[in-house]
Amino acid sequence: MQLSEKVIEILAARNEKSRRIGELKQKMGLPLVDVNAERELRERVREVAERYGLDREFVQRLLTFVLAESVKQQYSDTKAATPKITHMDVFRKAKQLERSGRKIIHLEVGEPDFGAPAPVHEALSRAAISGYARYGEAKGLQELRTRIAEFLRERFGVDRHPEEVLVVPGGRFGVFVCAAALLSPGEEVVVIDPSWPLYKQVAHQLHSRPMIVRTKMEDGWIPRVEDVEGCISSVTRLLVLNYPNNPTGAVIDGKRLEEIVEVCRRRSIYVLSDEVYMDYCFGEFNSILELGYENALMLMSFSKSWGMTGYRIGFLVGSREVIERASSIQAMLMTCVPEFVQMAALKALDDLETPKRYGQIMRERVEEVCRMLDSMPVRYVKPKGGMYVFPKIEGLSIDSAELALRLLESKGVAIAPGSAFGDYVDYVRISTGTSIDEIREGLRRLKELLDQIR
Ligand code: PLP
């Protein structure tokens, strides 16, 4: 038998063993991923690699694939792999009902209903007509990047060069190009759960492995430093942070942020701080840029602060080297963000009142959601920012995906089940992207359903 075939044979035997271990873990109620066991294994494998004179980096990445495959094997046997209803069923059903003419109250989407200010609309069409409609520089218009650098100076007192700014077509795209610029297959990305689903999807897409730090409501949804540190291995490349947080509304304080960044600094790990909800912060907001960590990247979008969701524009700030790499990936995919959209963003940056106003409206809506939840059988942490509340529904005999589906079918209200954001089947995410009257009516119907099924 050829040696390569032998490798496959050994992998098959390993998979079989993993599956059996998975069954045992499930019986004993143990988690599928044990970071301490993985760390010991990595250490032993490193020694073996050295003994055989193999490249350490290569072997460690190979081990990531093997470990990820084990988790997949074990996962396929657990209940979590076969939930009766998923969050995607809820979203699909909402669309289907709407197509059939039913009016749905949308408390599931993360899109604010505000829209862009009128001068931004006008700047967009003026720019398109006056010639900002040709191929442009991949990083973005020089004047916009210069203005963004000024904005960062005014807002956070940091001195960043326009060459450290990449204009991206929205935060979502920004996460992808940033991750694509940093990650190689077999590397790990630390994600704090509950989390916006995109981070894990992007890691998988790039053949990297998301490693989860699970936060709890009891800790205010803020990660403990030791949990972040415990999740880091020799192949960890990136940590993703997101405050104000989607879906919990948690905001990390400056001290904890600094402690976590310090862990990353010691291990030379990149940090991507997704700060797209910075203007929906109800108290003090700390940007990662203020810490001056050279491997930190900050992501911002015009979608939430100026209601420009359909414009598709945001920016990424980081070291010149990473921005250069992200920019060349972006150029491959889309040449540049349309320049008339960039001109609209330039106009938006003249208006710092709108983000404050939108932030204030979100705060009032979030407070109203909390007030209404207080008369329901739920527990939650009052958000310090963002546009969501993430309550735990108490004493339910069904999981939250099933609850969401029932709420949609029987009451015409869409909410996002907690399973969309990690292993949080008893939770739901309520978005405040719609008017206060709709929010009140949606929650009144949620209460009605909870009273009926309990
Ligand atoms: N980051 C987070 C945490 C989000 O929730 C969203 C959108 O919902 C985004 C980034 C991206 O927004 P956009 O792609 O519209 O800039």
Side-chain angles (χ1 to χ4, degrees):
M1 189 186 279
Q2 297 262 323
L3 280 176
S4 309
E5 290 168 52
K6 196 133 198 107
V7 171
I8 307 299
E9 202 175 86
I10 294 168
L11 282 175
R14 193 182 190 285
N15 269 0
E16 182 48 33
K17 200 164 177 182
S18 293
R19 223 183 40 74
R20 287 210 301 273
I21 294 173
E23 279 168 12
L24 280 177
K25 281 185 185 166
Q26 206 193 335
K27 266 194 208 130
M28 297 164 75
L30 296 171
L32 293 187
V33 177
D34 178 343
V35 283
N36 290 327
E38 285 194 9
R39 190 181 295 164
E40 279 172 30
L41 182 61
R42 281 198 185 277
E43 195 47 38
R44 288 204 305 275
V45 165
R46 188 183 62 76
E47 283 165 20
V48 178
E50 266 167 26
R51 204 179 316 140
Y52 286 97
L54 288 168
D55 179 68
R56 196 202 290 183
E57 180 94 342
F58 163 71
V59 172
Q60 288 292 341
R61 288 214 213 136
L62 193 63
L63 182 59
T64 307
F65 288 119
V66 173
L67 289 169
E69 187 59 25
S70 298
V71 175
K72 208 161 90 193
Q73 290 296 323
Q74 298 182 6
Y75 185 78
S76 65
D77 274 5
T78 65
K79 275 195 264 127
T82 50
K84 284 199 292 281
I85 295 158
T86 72
H87 63 280
M88 288 316 293
D89 294 322
V90 180
F91 299 141
R92 262 193 301 272
K93 186 77 190 175
K95 287 271 162 262
Q96 196 187 329
L97 287 174
E98 242 168 2
R99 273 197 304 271
S100 70
R102 180 118 179 247
K103 161 112 182 56
I104 302 295
I105 296 181
H106 287 281
L107 303 184
E108 87 286 29
V109 286
E111 180 170 17
D113 57 338
F114 306 136
V120 171
H121 285 312
E122 285 150 21
L124 178 88
S125 34
R126 228 181 8 256
I129 294 163
S130 65
Y132 285 95
R134 303 177 67 92
Y135 293 144
E137 197 188 330
K139 268 191 207 153
L141 285 164
Q142 178 71 31
E143 54 200 302
L144 177 58
R145 285 184 292 124
T146 303
R147 179 69 191 91
I148 290 170
E150 266 169 38
F151 167 80
L152 297 174
R153 192 170 308 118
E154 288 155 16
R155 180 85 182 244
F156 303 118
V158 297
D159 203 11
R160 303 302 297 240
H161 195 276
E163 289 302 297
E164 295 176 304
V165 177
L166 173 66
V167 178
V168 292
R172 181 177 281 273
F173 200 96
V175 171
F176 184 85
V177 281
C178 176
L182 296 175
L183 296 170
S184 299
E187 291 182 331
E188 291 180 347
V189 183
V190 178
V191 175
I192 315 286
D193 262 5
S195 60
W196 190 39
L198 183 79
Y199 309 133
K200 284 179 244 173
Q201 289 164 359
V202 166
H204 285 300
Q205 184 62 34
L206 297 169
H207 306 287
S208 295
R209 183 173 176 225
M211 294 296 288
I212 307 305
V213 171
R214 193 176 191 279
T215 59
K216 300 196 200 94
M217 179 161 59
E218 292 70 30
D219 292 334
W221 300 115
I222 298 295
R224 298 174 185 187
V225 181
E226 60 272 28
D227 290 347
V228 174
E229 195 152 24
C231 209
I232 291 173
S233 79
S234 57
V235 288
T236 306
R237 179 83 160 152
L238 175 66
L239 162 74
V240 183
L241 298 176
N242 166 223
Y243 301 103
N245 182 264
N246 174 8
T248 63
V251 175
I252 197 165
D253 65 57
K255 184 165 173 288
R256 185 67 59 91
L257 181 66
E258 210 171 327
E259 288 165 352
I260 290 176
V261 167
E262 189 46 40
V263 168
C264 295
R265 197 192 292 268
R266 281 204 304 273
R267 309 283 296 260
S268 298
I269 290 167
Y270 285 94
V271 184
L272 169 62
S273 180
D274 179 342
E275 300 180 2
V276 307
Y277 294 102
M278 67 161 77
D279 288 307
Y280 297 174
C281 189
F282 311 149
E284 189 187 295
F285 173 73
N286 299 285
S287 170
I288 196 145
L289 294 178
E290 294 165 59
L291 298 180
Y293 175 42
E294 66 279 14
N295 289 337
L297 291 117
M298 184 273 240
L299 180 68
M300 174 54 178
S301 165
F302 289 80
S303 292
K304 318 288 174 180
S305 297
W306 286 273
M308 291 165 62
T309 47
Y311 282 66
R312 311 308 306 134
I313 186 159
F315 55 87
L316 184 68
V317 184
S319 68
R320 281 182 195 230
E321 188 214 339
V322 178
I323 290 299
E324 200 57 57
R325 258 186 279 154
S327 162
S328 58
I329 296 167
Q330 176 159 298
M332 270 184 242
L333 297 170
M334 65 170 313
T335 308
C336 68
V337 177
E339 288 194 339
F340 50 88
V341 176
Q342 296 190 55
M343 290 304 284
L346 189 62
K347 184 73 191 169
L349 285 168
D350 283 343
D351 167 11
L352 300 181
E353 284 313 305
T354 294
K356 280 190 200 149
R357 191 160 51 83
Y358 287 176
Q360 182 54 29
I361 297 173
M362 279 309 176
R363 183 181 189 156
E364 285 159 18
R365 290 179 183 177
V366 165
E367 274 170 7
E368 183 62 10
V369 171
C370 293
R371 200 187 60 73
M372 292 194 71
L373 285 176
D374 286 342
S375 64
M376 295 186 215
V378 303
R379 275 197 304 137
Y380 64 92
V381 176
K382 195 166 179 198
K384 292 189 172 142
M387 52 177 287
Y388 313 98
V389 188
F390 196 59
K392 180 175 191 200
I393 315 278
E394 304 262 71
L396 265 190
S397 53
I398 52 174
D399 75 23
S400 67
E402 204 169 333
L403 174 77
L405 198 61
R406 277 209 211 169
L407 182 66
L408 182 63
E409 283 169 344
S410 65
K411 311 274 178 196
V413 180
I415 54 175
S419 52
F421 311 98
D423 185 15
Y424 296 90
V425 289
D426 299 331
Y427 292 79
V428 295
R429 187 191 76 176
I430 295 163
S431 159
T432 56
T434 187
S435 73
I436 201 136
D437 290 341
E438 291 252 300
I439 291 171
R440 280 193 192 119
E441 179 55 23
L443 287 174
R444 193 193 62 71
R445 294 186 202 175
L446 170 65
K447 181 169 172 12
E448 206 172 71
L449 180 68
L450 289 176
D451 288 345
Q452 280 165 8
I453 53 180
R454 296 176 96 251

